[in-house]
Amino acid sequence: MSKNPTALIIGTGVGGLSAAIALENIGWSVQLFEKSDGLRTTGSGLSVMSNASAAMKKLLGIDLDLKSYGAEIHNFEIRHKSGILLKRLPMQEISNQQGAPCICISREKLQQSLLNHLGDTSMIFGKRAVGYVETTDGIQLNFDDGTVYHGDILVGADGFYSSIRESIGTESIIQEAGYICWLALVKYSHPQITQGYVVHYWGSGKRIGIIDIGNGWVYWWGTANMSPYEAKSWQGTNKDIAEFYSSWPDLVLDIILSTDSTSIITVDAKDRTFPETWTKGRVTLLGDAAHPMLTSLGQGAGLSIEDAAVLGYVLRNTDDYTEALKRYEVIRQPRARAIVNASRALSEIEQYDSLVPRLKRDMGMLFASQKTIRDKLKESLLFNDIIVQDNYNTKNIY
């Protein structure tokens, strides 16, 4: 087996950087390619649930130490738009059980954390991949400027519009969700926002989340049902957004109006049909390229990190990279598919705008037992390394 096999990774987002960390950890050389001129350092916030850190720790012994960069969730509330508390979610209880925290963090801080775990990984910017050729002993990766790079495997971590997914010929059709998302970070203080506080308010075809991410910074997001065309062409201000929540709690209106309009990111909500194939020979997909999903479970980043951990795990101590990548796909697809489907289903429920479905949703949350809520949350928050190891060690699983 080659002492220093090389992985070519397209994309420097959460998935790409995590994959580089995992593969460096097992002794691989890594080259990262990014079509932009540099690392993206701006953006909103996100959650990295406990399953992500647990996967890296259990499979590869890597401690991401995200608590040093964001805020651990201590209190997660679901509230009606009137302010009535529907449920407190046992996030910290599950995190403690797993020995890994659920962290809310800005994209910039998460990027800093991941970069601090990288060694001498080569990052090459302004490079747009246009295709690859698989040879008998590796991959030839071609770019639009005529340059060519060679490696042992190719990992497409290039997101929702992945060119590598297209190159391997797997289909994934865009599915519009029918609502807009507003995302923002703001320096903000309020008595309700205690350390590690998360609150989601549910209304009629609208939601808003307000999340402590540490050091006085708050991440908030809002949604409202509208056509994909309206969502894509939105040009409103913070005042226009606040009008959607005119009868909601003062905290909601105040934090929106305290945010400069120019710092609010607008996104039309969408996902894709689940790609049936992630891997072709020495090429595989990871993160949003493999399983683009809606955000309702907050698992986009977490599953990308899980992917990276499993990829590193299956590539340890082998020189049969084709078999290892196929094994990675077989191990990862059932869990990824389940979370993609659950995220889509929850999104539809959360965006209900008809009276009867909304009443059933809200009453269901209010009267659900803590055991029911806990068991449901565990499906996504607990990373089962035993299943991964059993699948890895079982022959002919595909």
Side-chain angles (χ1 to χ4, degrees):
M1 184 175 69
S2 171
K3 286 188 176 180
N4 293 295
T6 298
L8 309 176
I9 301 176
I10 306 296
T12 58
V14 174
L17 294 178
S18 299
I21 291 168
L23 294 178
E24 276 192 351
N25 177 265
I26 64 168
W28 281 57
S29 297
V30 177
Q31 287 186 308
L32 278 161
F33 300 92
E34 171 60 50
K35 64 184 178 182
S36 301
D37 293 332
L39 289 170
R40 177 184 172 189
T41 57
T42 58
S44 57
L46 72 167
S47 58
V48 182
M49 296 302 185
S50 60
N51 49 286
S53 294
M56 279 291 201
K57 185 69 173 180
K58 291 178 178 180
L59 294 182
L60 300 176
I62 298 171
D63 182 1
L64 292 178
D65 189 30
L66 296 181
K67 290 175 67 173
S68 299
Y69 296 84
E72 181 178 2
I73 296 176
H74 293 308
N75 182 16
F76 194 130
E77 297 178 342
I78 304 292
R79 291 181 177 268
H80 183 263
K81 69 172 185 176
S82 64
I84 293 172
L85 178 66
L86 299 177
K87 192 69 63 185
R88 284 193 173 90
L89 305 185
M91 309 291 283
Q92 190 168 31
E93 177 187 338
I94 297 171
S95 296
N96 292 341
Q97 176 184 340
Q98 185 159 230
C102 290
I103 300 293
C104 296
I105 190 170
S106 71
R107 288 189 178 275
E108 182 178 5
K109 290 292 186 181
L110 177 56
Q111 182 188 86
Q112 288 178 11
S113 171
L114 296 175
L115 289 173
N116 286 343
H117 283 82
L118 283 179
D120 298 324
T121 292
S122 169
M123 293 191 195
I124 306 174
F125 299 101
K127 306 289 286 187
R128 186 181 295 272
V130 293
Y132 71 89
V133 176
E134 183 169 348
T135 64
T136 56
D137 60 351
I139 291 289
Q140 174 185 301
L141 181 58
N142 304 314
F143 291 91
D144 63 356
D145 60 3
T147 55
V148 175
Y149 289 80
H150 297 271
D152 293 283
I153 66 169
L154 171 61
V155 179
D158 49 342
F160 191 88
Y161 296 100
S162 171
S163 65
I164 303 303
R165 184 178 58 234
E166 292 182 4
S167 293
I168 67 174
T170 191
E171 186 177 58
S172 181
I173 300 170
I174 293 176
Q175 300 180 133
E176 303 286 356
Y179 59 90
I180 193 171
C181 297
W182 297 289
L183 316 167
L185 300 179
V186 62
K187 196 83 169 177
Y188 184 79
S189 177
H190 189 281
Q192 186 174 329
I193 305 176
T194 54
Q195 184 177 6
Y197 181 69
V198 178
V199 60
H200 290 186
Y201 290 94
W202 287 353
S204 174
K206 295 186 284 287
R207 294 175 283 145
I208 194 163
I210 299 171
I211 302 112
D212 171 47
I213 60 171
N215 296 314
W217 284 93
V218 177
Y219 164 49
W220 68 264
W221 54 263
T223 69
N225 288 350
M226 63 178 67
S227 72
Y229 173 79
E230 291 175 302
K232 290 174 183 176
S233 58
W234 171 266
Q235 297 290 329
T237 66
N238 58 355
K239 292 180 181 178
D240 295 315
I241 297 170
E243 288 182 6
F244 281 85
Y245 305 94
S246 59
S247 62
W248 293 43
D250 290 342
L251 168 62
V252 171
L253 297 172
D254 188 55
I255 198 167
I256 294 171
L257 295 174
S258 296
T259 307
D260 191 281
S261 298
T262 60
S263 67
I264 300 174
I265 298 169
T266 301
V267 179
D268 55 309
K270 56 184 177 292
D271 65 356
R272 287 179 177 269
T273 56
F274 194 84
E276 294 299 327
T277 301
W278 296 3
T279 299
K280 185 177 181 181
R282 291 171 176 256
V283 183
T284 197
L285 304 174
L286 183 147
D288 285 347
H291 43 69
M293 70 182 71
L294 295 170
T295 60
S296 287
L297 286 176
Q299 281 287 357
L303 281 200
S304 297
I305 295 170
E306 274 191 25
D307 288 348
V310 174
L311 183 64
Y313 185 80
V314 300
L315 284 167
R316 290 192 307 186
N317 304 318
T318 183
D319 56 5
D320 190 341
Y321 307 134
T322 299
E323 180 186 13
L325 294 184
K326 187 62 179 178
R327 192 174 293 271
Y328 154 78
E329 176 184 301
V330 172
I331 291 171
R332 290 300 297 153
Q333 278 205 345
R335 175 162 166 79
R337 188 191 296 273
I339 292 186
V340 167
N341 290 341
S343 296
R344 186 178 301 132
L346 180 58
S347 169
E348 292 174 357
I349 292 168
E350 289 177 324
Q351 292 298 132
Y352 280 158
D353 55 10
S354 298
L355 178 61
V356 173
R358 281 192 290 113
L359 285 174
K360 289 181 177 179
R361 176 196 67 190
D362 297 345
M363 292 300 99
M365 179 60 73
L366 180 64
F367 293 110
S369 70
Q370 280 299 110
K371 182 182 184 305
T372 298
I373 296 295
R374 187 184 305 111
D375 290 346
K376 197 66 179 173
L377 284 170
K378 283 181 177 180
E379 292 176 8
S380 62
L381 292 180
L382 291 183
F383 175 76
N384 195 331
D385 59 312
I386 302 301
I387 290 177
V388 172
Q389 292 172 28
D390 286 349
N391 283 345
Y392 175 77
N393 292 316
T394 300
K395 295 186 180 296
N396 299 318
I397 62 172
Y398 55 86

